[in-house]
Amino acid sequence: MLKKIEQKISEITLLDKYLLKQVFEMFLMGVCVFTAIIFASDTFITLIKQISQFGLPFKVALMIIILNLPSIIVMTIPMGVLLATVMTLNKLSLDSEITVMRACGIGLNRIAKPIFIFAIVMSLFSFFINETIVPVTAKQSKDLALWALGQKNIPDGKQNFVFKELGENGFLKRLFYVGYCEDKTLHNITVLDTSKDGTIQVMQAREGTTSPKGWNFEKGALYTVDSEGKVLNTTLFDDFQMSLGVDMTKQMNKNIAKEMNFTKLLKYIATTDLDKKQKRIVTVELFDKIALPITTIAFVLLGVPLAITPPRVRYNRGFLFSVLIIFVYYLIRALSISFGEAGSLPAFFAAWLPNIVLTIWGVALYYKKVYTIN
């Protein structure tokens, strides 16, 4: 009796290893493929925009993209698990291996068990990456971008040069004259500001630096002159900041939720005075930190019954099913998150709606397939 039990355990282990080996190999391929697709489309376009629009060096922009890879992998892990599930089971079904397993008394629940365990492990792994690695790399990515923007257009070692800042219609808004630049610090600076009608502001400073917020000047004077050349007032300053017209820190802070894990973001929402719109956006991000990894399990619940091919179908439709499910999921996800950020849906429901839809759909198909096959 003991030998029969040991033999049964050995058979179950072999079945699990056989399924997991195929699922894992297909999973790695799926993650690589989907990560490459996202990188080649959305991320590569972002790279080009950062280089052309903000003047970032190519090496810096590329490093920013690499630092954003963990957040992309968190999104592609559910896709990879779905592709692996559907492709593997669809192949087993076409090769009549599932039919043989059923003939040996192994039902769909038993076949799907190691795949569900794999999905749970990958869901926890995705959550771990999103909680530990993504916040660090997202913060480093933003800091690197801000540093690069702050160092933009500073010709170190150059003397007697001019910067021009143009307005929306192409007219001269500000003219910057710099005596010389040493160690990324500007010296002997004069600025003519013609942005206000009827007056001209003249600013003179000993030193200055740039940042994403604008120009930072130290130890100088600010003169306001009217159109007739008369000095209206004079202001002395130790520190003065002049905006460049675009505050890049606001744009960089749009993804501030990615820089925090679930606990820190929850504390941030509770202790920070946010306006209603920003609070809705951050709250949706909070619930999405849990909802996104759970998508892996919802994908498998839906993918298992769809992968079992009817006898009359003699071609592998796994990849097509995977693409369609992913498309439907991210369409629902985009709509629900948009509605949640706009206040049309509660934040929790907006983050979890795609998983709820997939789970209901998957449970119905799984229940039908189990009792149809068995």
Side-chain angles (χ1 to χ4, degrees):
M1 184 66 181
L2 184 60
K3 289 183 178 180
K4 290 183 178 180
I5 295 175
E6 290 178 353
Q7 184 179 2
K8 191 68 176 178
I9 294 174
S10 177
E11 291 174 358
I12 293 173
T13 304
L14 288 174
L15 175 62
D16 292 340
K17 288 181 179 179
Y18 177 70
L19 290 172
L20 288 174
K21 181 177 182 296
Q22 297 189 57
V23 168
F24 186 71
E25 290 175 354
M26 189 61 65
F27 165 75
L28 291 179
M29 186 196 75
V31 170
C32 293
V33 168
F34 289 122
T35 301
I37 291 173
I38 294 176
F39 180 85
S41 56
D42 180 63
T43 311
F44 187 74
I45 293 173
T46 302
L47 172 66
I48 299 301
K49 284 184 178 179
Q50 288 175 338
I51 294 174
S52 60
Q53 186 175 358
F54 304 131
L56 295 182
F58 178 80
K59 292 181 179 179
V60 173
L62 184 60
M63 182 59 67
I64 292 172
I65 296 303
I66 293 174
L67 289 172
N68 285 325
L69 276 178
S71 61
I72 296 176
I73 292 175
V74 169
M75 295 182 63
T76 57
I77 283 177
M79 301 181 191
V81 172
L82 173 64
L83 180 68
T85 300
V86 177
M87 292 290 287
T88 299
L89 292 183
N90 206 180
K91 182 178 181 298
L92 293 177
S93 181
L94 290 173
D95 294 341
S96 300
E97 293 186 57
I98 290 182
T99 303
V100 174
M101 292 179 190
R102 288 182 58 239
C104 296
I106 303 175
L108 181 60
N109 285 328
R110 180 62 191 88
I111 296 171
K113 182 180 177 180
I115 300 177
F116 275 110
I117 293 175
F118 178 75
I120 293 172
V121 172
M122 287 300 102
S123 179
L124 294 174
F125 180 63
S126 176
F127 180 78
F128 173 79
I129 294 176
N130 206 26
E131 286 291 286
T132 58
I133 299 177
V134 171
V136 175
T137 56
K139 182 68 167 59
Q140 290 177 344
S141 174
K142 188 186 80 170
D143 291 343
L144 181 59
L146 292 174
W147 174 84
L149 289 167
Q151 300 302 309
K152 185 181 70 171
N153 295 331
I154 300 187
D156 203 21
K158 192 174 181 180
Q159 298 181 356
N160 299 321
F161 55 93
V162 175
F163 290 117
K164 292 181 181 180
E165 184 181 345
L166 302 179
E168 295 180 357
N169 298 324
F171 67 89
L172 181 63
K173 186 177 179 181
R174 294 189 184 104
L175 182 66
F176 297 80
Y177 167 78
V178 180
Y180 66 98
C181 180
E182 185 178 6
D183 296 329
K184 300 298 182 181
T185 301
L186 310 175
H187 297 271
N188 300 334
I189 309 156
T190 300
V191 180
L192 297 178
D193 189 343
T194 62
S195 59
K196 296 181 180 179
D197 295 335
T199 61
I200 298 176
Q201 284 190 326
V202 180
M203 192 279 304
Q204 292 181 324
R206 293 183 182 179
E207 296 180 353
T209 56
T210 63
S211 73
K213 291 184 178 181
W215 298 84
N216 302 312
F217 301 108
E218 297 179 1
K219 300 177 182 179
L222 183 65
Y223 308 95
T224 302
V225 183
D226 62 15
S227 56
E228 298 178 356
K230 182 179 179 181
V231 178
L232 300 179
N233 58 63
T234 302
T235 304
L236 301 178
F237 62 83
D238 291 325
D239 295 289
F240 180 75
Q241 186 176 87
M242 183 177 293
S243 173
L244 292 175
V246 179
D247 189 351
M248 284 303 303
T249 56
K250 291 182 179 179
Q251 182 168 342
M252 293 295 179
N253 287 334
K254 285 182 179 179
N255 294 326
I256 193 171
K258 288 185 178 180
E259 301 173 23
M260 306 179 191
N261 57 29
F262 185 87
T263 304
K264 289 184 178 180
L265 186 57
L266 184 63
K267 184 178 179 181
Y268 173 78
I269 295 173
T271 58
T272 307
D273 186 18
L274 302 171
D275 57 58
K276 290 183 178 180
K277 182 179 179 181
Q278 186 63 28
K279 189 172 184 178
R280 285 198 303 267
I281 294 173
V282 177
T283 305
V284 171
E285 290 275 0
L286 175 71
F287 291 120
D288 190 57
K289 285 183 177 291
I290 298 178
L292 185 58
I294 296 298
T295 303
T296 306
I297 302 173
F299 271 162
V300 171
L301 186 62
L302 181 59
V304 168
L306 288 176
I308 307 301
T309 307
R312 63 182 179 274
V313 178
R314 304 309 303 168
Y315 63 92
N316 195 322
R317 56 186 186 177
F319 184 77
L320 176 61
F321 272 152
S322 300
V323 172
L324 288 176
I325 294 171
I326 291 170
F327 175 78
V328 171
Y329 168 77
Y330 281 102
L331 177 61
I332 298 173
R333 173 182 165 85
L335 291 174
S336 64
I337 288 180
S338 297
F339 286 140
E341 292 178 349
S344 301
L345 286 176
F348 177 85
F349 193 66
W352 281 89
L353 179 60
N355 286 347
I356 293 172
V357 172
L358 287 182
T359 302
I360 294 174
W361 187 12
V363 167
L365 288 177
Y366 192 89
Y367 180 85
K368 180 180 178 181
K369 186 69 67 172
V370 166
Y371 284 91
T372 299
I373 293 179
N374 293 340

